[in-house]
Amino acid sequence: MSDAELVLRSTRVITPEGTRAASVAVLAGTITAVLPYDAEVPSGARLEDLGDDVLLPGLVDTHVHVNDPGRTEWEGFWTATRAAAAGGITTLVDMPLNSLPPTTTVDHLHTKRRVAADKAHIDVGFWGGALPDNVKDLRPLHDAGVFGFKAFLSPSGVDEFPHLDQDGLARSLAEIAGFGGLLIVHAEDPHHLDAAPQRPGPRYADFLASRPRDAEDTAVAHLIDQAKRLHARVHVLHLSSSDALPLIARAKEDGVRVTVETCPHYLTLTAEEVPDGASEFKCCPPIREAANQDLLWQALADGTIDCVVTDHSPSTADLKTDDFATAWGGISGLQLSLPAVWTEARRRGHGLEDVVRWMSTRTAALVGLGRKGAIEAGRDADFAVLAPDETFTVDPAALQHRNRVTAYAGRTLYGVVKSTWLRGERVVADGVFTAPRGRLLTRDH
């Protein structure tokens, strides 16, 4: 066996070559080899025999709103990273809002890193923000190690993070393309949103009508046009409209550098089942109909949609009022994303290898984290141990999120995360956490 201080052995290890019985050797936080199941354990190495539980690479969630500092009562690095670890996530990338200050200058990035430094139970990276007035700050943020830049094409919901109009999008994207960066975009067109009927109140149908599919479709079309013109790299955030899929597929065929994500709530929840007044289901863009969901799954299967991320966007419970027009829009999903997606994936005939590809391998590749996202030699020894056939019923009181409001309350899900490992160290097992040992990541590191 290769040099090792730790060996994890399972009858089911998910590797880039498929699922097989294997022994995974770890030294100094790095996977040194993936060997036959019955390989001899070297003298002095500790063996962790996982039996038939599945060993999979730790998930990489590239869309998380930690809200720290400034709105720490909504969430924070301590609670968010504990929730992530409990759900098998070993790396997250934090969005530039809704913290105060937003991550839109190098000084603000330094503030965010100072706050996160001693609170991270898993590895954490940071997105920068692209605003109408901070084009000059984009290159310095890139050089400081952010993974890319987030922009909104419609109002973000917080005054300190204004959206880009089409001219502003062109300016920011040209700057970012000039240094080979990545722009990630909340794609809803404000003109279509303004033209949609706005009826306050508890009816989910009224909220759904206020965020029509054509708002997404038009914004995605504009973004693709700009990316094609500038030869820029862009990423569509939290796609919910299946109507945009043919346009995205054509753009990919034409060589446009566009990638796309969707979220567990779009893949597992449907508009037809959202009770009136239940704003724990509110997010923007919204959860749409079951027929729309079927097409999102097809697009995941054929590669039109690249990956699945949480868009974890919590708030305090008082902001989740029964008026869909005024309630905060965001779904908390860090701890439950893996079992939620796995439950629906298995029902639709997909395997855990597919889930790993969508939620770990491709998300790591999106942000250039070459040491994450797979169980193979040379990668970080980041793992989740999953009992895929065990079920549990979601109890909000058992969640690690600071505000335990969840759209999944009462649902029975497949997939119990038994333990999560970061660089060969177990950070949580059966609900018991170690002290924070996460690192703050920069692009390519």
Side-chain angles (χ1 to χ4, degrees), residues 88-415:
I89 298 166
T90 52
T91 303
L92 68 80
V93 186
D94 174 56
M95 284 291 166
L97 74 165
N98 301 296
S99 57
L100 294 169
T103 317
T104 52
T105 69
V106 171
D107 284 347
H108 293 175
L109 173 64
H110 290 332
T111 298
K112 181 76 70 82
R113 291 175 63 86
R114 283 194 299 272
V115 169
D118 61 352
K119 299 176 183 176
H121 288 82
I122 64 169
D123 286 354
V124 174
F126 301 94
W127 295 108
L131 305 183
D133 62 353
N134 82 325
V135 173
K136 68 183 185 306
D137 296 300
L138 300 179
R139 181 61 185 259
L141 277 164
H142 178 80
D143 292 343
V146 299
F147 287 87
F149 302 90
K150 180 173 188 179
F152 280 77
L153 301 185
S154 57
S156 70
V158 290
D159 292 341
E160 67 274 5
F161 205 96
H163 69 283
L164 301 179
D165 60 18
Q166 287 302 305
D167 288 341
L169 172 63
R171 287 192 298 273
S172 292
L173 191 53
E175 175 72 8
I176 292 165
F179 53 74
L182 170 64
L183 183 70
I184 64 173
V185 180
H186 180 124
E188 288 183 287
D189 181 77
H191 306 294
H192 284 80
L193 295 179
D194 289 345
Q198 305 294 324
R199 299 186 185 94
R203 295 184 69 244
Y204 186 73
D206 290 337
F207 171 66
L208 186 60
S210 75
R211 314 290 297 209
R213 296 188 198 193
D214 59 8
E216 280 192 85
D217 307 336
T218 299
V220 169
H222 288 325
L223 179 63
I224 287 172
D225 287 345
Q226 296 271 29
K228 186 174 183 179
R229 181 178 66 84
L230 294 166
H231 305 287
R233 183 173 170 228
V234 297
H235 179 73
V236 177
L237 298 169
H238 47 48
L239 184 75
S240 81
S241 171
S242 62
D243 292 349
L245 293 169
L247 174 66
I248 292 165
R250 286 194 300 272
K252 289 188 169 194
E253 290 170 1
D254 292 342
V256 180
R257 301 172 67 198
V258 58
T259 51
V260 183
E261 69 184 37
T262 193
C263 303
H265 37 277
Y266 301 133
L267 297 170
T268 64
L269 307 173
T270 62
E272 291 90 340
E273 64 187 309
V274 177
D276 288 345
S279 66
E280 62 268 27
F281 291 85
K282 179 182 176 180
C283 56
C284 298
I287 294 164
R288 302 193 188 276
E289 301 83 356
N292 180 88
Q293 184 183 89
D294 290 341
L295 294 173
L296 295 180
W297 276 100
Q298 289 180 27
L300 263 179
D302 67 27
T304 304
I305 295 175
D306 299 272
C307 55
V308 179
V309 296
T310 61
D311 188 13
H312 178 76
S313 186
S315 71
T316 52
D318 61 295
L319 296 180
K320 285 291 194 180
T321 67
D322 62 3
D323 182 347
F324 274 101
T326 58
W328 177 256
I331 289 180
S332 297
L334 276 171
Q335 190 167 335
L336 300 173
S337 60
L338 174 57
V341 172
W342 168 233
T343 299
E344 186 65 12
R346 63 182 282 154
R347 188 181 76 81
R348 291 175 179 264
H350 298 287
L352 267 176
E353 292 176 12
D354 298 317
V355 175
V356 166
R357 184 171 65 256
W358 300 327
M359 302 184 75
S360 184
T361 306
R362 287 184 179 167
T363 47
L366 173 70
V367 292
L369 287 173
R371 293 184 60 87
K372 310 290 188 182
I375 296 178
E376 62 182 358
R379 305 262 188 163
D380 285 347
D382 296 352
F383 309 112
V385 178
L386 184 73
D389 301 317
E390 292 186 21
T391 63
F392 67 100
T393 300
V394 176
D395 175 8
L399 298 178
Q400 297 294 326
H401 309 144
R402 175 156 293 161
N403 292 282
R404 296 167 179 176
V405 176
T406 175
Y408 298 99
R411 288 179 173 260
T412 298
L413 302 177
Y414 280 91

Side-chain angles (χ1 to χ4, degrees), residues 3-19:
D3 288 342
E5 59 194 7
L6 169 70
V7 176
L8 293 97
R9 176 175 288 167
S10 169
T11 61
R12 294 183 286 180
V13 178
I14 298 180
T15 75
E17 293 75 37
T19 301

